[in-house]
């Protein structure tokens, strides 16, 4: 019996696989940074804050 959802599952898998690979890479880099004594969340928040403030004139 042929599954009628097979083409859709293939498309979902094709779209989801790169996202999962990127997520795994981000987690792996975060673990290495913590192991080296860095604060990856704090660095990311600081970068976002600095980026937003750079677009606001006079701040």
């Amino acid at each position: 019996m042929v599954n009628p959802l097979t083409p859709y599952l293939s498309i979902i898998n094709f779209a989801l696989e790169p996202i999962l690979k990127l997520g795994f890479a981000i987690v792996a880099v975060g673990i290495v940074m913590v192991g080296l004594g860095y604060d990856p969340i704090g660095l990311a928040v600081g970068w976002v804050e600095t980026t937003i403030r750079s677009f606001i004139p006079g701040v």
Side-chain angles (χ1 to χ4, degrees):
M1 182 172 183
V2 176
N3 185 355
L5 298 177
T6 301
Y8 301 108
L9 294 175
S10 176
I11 292 169
I12 290 171
N13 186 32
F14 179 75
L16 196 60
E17 186 177 349
I19 294 170
L20 291 175
K21 285 182 179 180
L22 181 64
F24 177 77
I26 290 171
V27 168
V29 168
I31 290 171
V32 169
M33 287 180 73
V34 168
L36 293 173
Y38 291 102
D39 177 22
I41 302 298
L43 290 172
V45 169
W47 178 79
V48 169
E49 182 181 0
T50 303
T51 303
I52 291 171
R53 286 179 181 269
S54 71
F55 286 109
I56 302 172
V59 175

